[in-house]
Amino acid sequence: MTGSTLAIISSQAFSIVNFRGPLIAALVARGVRVFALAPDFDENLRQRVRQLGGQPVDYSISRAGLNPLRDLRDMLGLARVLRRLSPDATLAYFIKPVIYGSIAAWLARVPYRYSLITGLGFVFAQNPESRGVGRLLLRSVVGRLYGFALARNRRVVFQNEEDIRTLIEGGIVDRRKAVLVPGTGVDLEHYAVAPPVLQPPVFLMVARMLREKGVCEFVEAAREVRRRCPSSRFILVGGTDPNPGSIAAVQLERWAAEGVVEWIGQVSDVRPWLAQASVFVLPSYYREGVPRGNQEAMAMGRPVITTDWVGCRETVVDGVNGFLVPVRDAAALAKSMMRFIEEPGLIARMGDEGRKMAQARFNVHDLNRRLIDVFSL
């Protein structure tokens, strides 16, 4: 590996540092030169990439929406950037970087091209709108683009078996190229165990403020639980998003003014919020890979309530380290929340089990070794 060069292509600089930082450090330690490509670096994030041993590189891409002319221009611009950098391999993640990054790397004649599918996202989410003509058309277009792009990859890394099955059955990816690395993982020293808060009970949700992440169900469940236990707190951490499913800031502020939830917005470090939580909640019906927030909560010794849904169910053994609830079922969510209020001993016991599971399944260094083994550098 020594002397090889890898370009990591993302649509969000923060995720490169927060999710791929340990991977960059591990690659650099093996003698790999790493370029980190994103469209939205600020000076702080540039410096953090450099501290990891990588080199930040700017390029243009829109995170959401389909604008064929803009996307074509950005893809050709990315191909020019990759020709200039001349890496031995690329690793793209998130939908647009996977599609346009893979094609751009092919156009730039990068020898080895890899993609990491961290969930199938908004287009494949399960909600009533997903059956509309517009969403079905979008899914068809994205599926075709995915198929063209992934055919130009040497390997395609997935985080759960259901995403592999979906894309193989859809004729989008060749099963011989599909590899499973089950999660992004967390640094277990960075996300150290913190004593759980028992009184008042605090339910924390950390996510982008998207309907498909289950934000509305969290708020509805909070109303019911607060009616029965007025001292309980419900905290939403995360920012709004350009995704079509984003909840408007005015709505989030209205819920906060009403007193049903506390909306914190985007934060650079979730650990202080996890430290003051009793239970972590993610009622998602988004097509997750394996939710990073669930992994972080488990590492810090928090029980998790999440949905019996793609990716989410990989993080919880129902009744052991938390509870699984049906998607879009606020009543079931409220019932699971009440279990922790009525039986507070579950908080520490299930949190301990979550930490053990994080150690066994979601150690970032173990998962990164598996990911690096996929690369032919």
Side-chain angles (χ1 to χ4, degrees):
M1 259 191 175
T2 301
S4 299
T5 306
L6 174 72
I8 299 177
I9 307 171
S10 177
S11 56
Q12 186 183 52
F14 175 77
S15 76
I16 286 183
V17 174
N18 196 39
F19 295 170
R20 309 295 159 217
L23 175 63
I24 292 172
L27 287 164
V28 169
R30 294 178 183 225
V32 178
R33 187 181 183 193
V34 179
F35 296 113
L37 279 67
D40 58 344
F41 278 112
D42 59 26
E43 196 49 46
N44 174 56
L45 291 172
R46 290 181 207 280
Q47 186 58 32
R48 290 175 68 184
V49 168
R50 294 186 186 107
Q51 288 169 351
L52 292 164
Q55 180 177 331
V57 178
D58 295 284
Y59 81 107
S60 175
I61 193 170
S62 62
R63 281 189 58 203
L66 280 177
N67 181 330
L69 290 177
R70 162 78 190 270
D71 292 340
L72 176 61
R73 185 177 70 244
D74 286 343
M75 183 180 71
L76 295 176
L78 177 56
R80 288 192 292 272
V81 170
L82 291 172
R83 275 195 293 269
R84 173 172 57 83
L85 297 176
S86 191
D88 298 297
T90 56
L91 172 66
Y93 67 97
F94 293 154
I95 290 179
K96 281 201 169 187
V98 165
I99 292 172
Y100 299 120
S102 295
I103 298 171
W106 172 64
L107 292 172
R109 300 187 178 181
V110 176
Y112 298 101
R113 301 173 292 273
Y114 303 93
S115 289
L116 173 58
I117 308 297
T118 57
L120 297 182
F122 164 78
V123 176
F124 293 87
Q126 176 177 296
N127 57 27
E129 295 80 14
S130 69
R131 293 182 287 275
V133 174
R135 183 72 68 87
L136 292 175
L137 178 61
L138 178 62
R139 189 173 300 172
S140 175
V141 170
V142 171
R144 289 175 183 275
L145 289 170
Y146 251 150
F148 185 84
L150 296 180
R152 280 137 190 85
N153 277 237
R154 183 181 180 89
R155 292 285 185 273
V156 182
V157 181
F158 292 82
Q159 294 190 333
N160 66 68
E161 294 279 4
E162 289 169 274
D163 285 352
I164 295 178
R165 187 163 55 251
T166 295
L167 294 197
I168 288 175
E169 292 175 354
I172 295 171
V173 71
D174 185 332
R175 70 174 64 247
R176 293 169 297 183
K177 293 184 176 182
V179 180
L180 178 68
V181 177
T184 298
V186 292
D187 185 329
L188 296 168
E189 294 182 4
H190 187 70
Y191 291 93
V193 174
V197 172
L198 301 179
Q199 287 296 330
V202 179
F203 297 89
L204 173 69
M205 179 175 176
V206 179
R208 288 179 290 154
M209 295 293 103
L210 303 177
R211 287 178 179 83
E212 292 85 359
K213 292 286 186 177
V215 175
C216 296
E217 286 73 19
F218 180 81
V219 173
E220 188 176 341
R223 289 186 198 280
E224 173 59 20
V225 174
R226 281 182 55 80
R227 183 182 66 80
R228 299 169 64 182
C229 178
S231 66
S232 55
R233 293 177 62 200
F234 296 84
I235 302 175
L236 281 170
V237 172
T240 57
D241 195 87
N243 191 299
S246 184
I247 297 173
V250 65
Q251 178 61 71
L252 293 160
E253 290 164 355
R254 189 177 298 128
W255 284 329
E258 184 184 339
V260 62
V261 296
E262 302 166 42
W263 179 44
I264 306 305
Q266 184 71 36
V267 300
S268 60
D269 188 352
V270 299
R271 290 176 299 168
W273 297 99
L274 285 166
Q276 63 178 284
S278 310
V279 178
F280 186 83
V281 183
L282 184 69
S284 176
Y285 48 95
Y286 194 78
R287 280 299 293 257
E288 308 280 355
V290 177
R292 169 67 181 270
N294 291 15
Q295 298 171 57
E296 293 167 342
M298 293 161 63
M300 289 188 64
R302 296 296 176 266
V304 174
I305 304 174
T306 195
T307 44
D308 189 6
W309 179 237
V310 181
C312 297
R313 64 172 68 101
E314 271 70 25
T315 61
V316 169
V317 176
D318 190 44
V320 176
N321 70 307
F323 296 114
L324 294 174
V325 298
V327 298
R328 301 177 64 86
D329 191 336
L333 181 58
K335 183 178 179 181
S336 291
M337 291 173 173
M338 287 303 303
R339 283 285 304 274
F340 288 105
I341 293 173
E342 294 165 352
E343 303 174 59
L346 291 176
I347 295 173
R349 185 162 77 246
M350 288 187 169
D352 288 344
E353 292 297 328
R355 173 68 182 189
K356 292 175 187 175
M357 191 179 298
Q359 291 170 321
R361 298 185 186 180
F362 300 124
N363 184 324
V364 70
H365 304 298
D366 294 341
L367 292 171
N368 279 341
R369 277 192 290 271
R370 294 175 62 173
L371 185 58
I372 291 169
D373 285 345
V374 174
F375 304 151
S376 298
L377 293 174

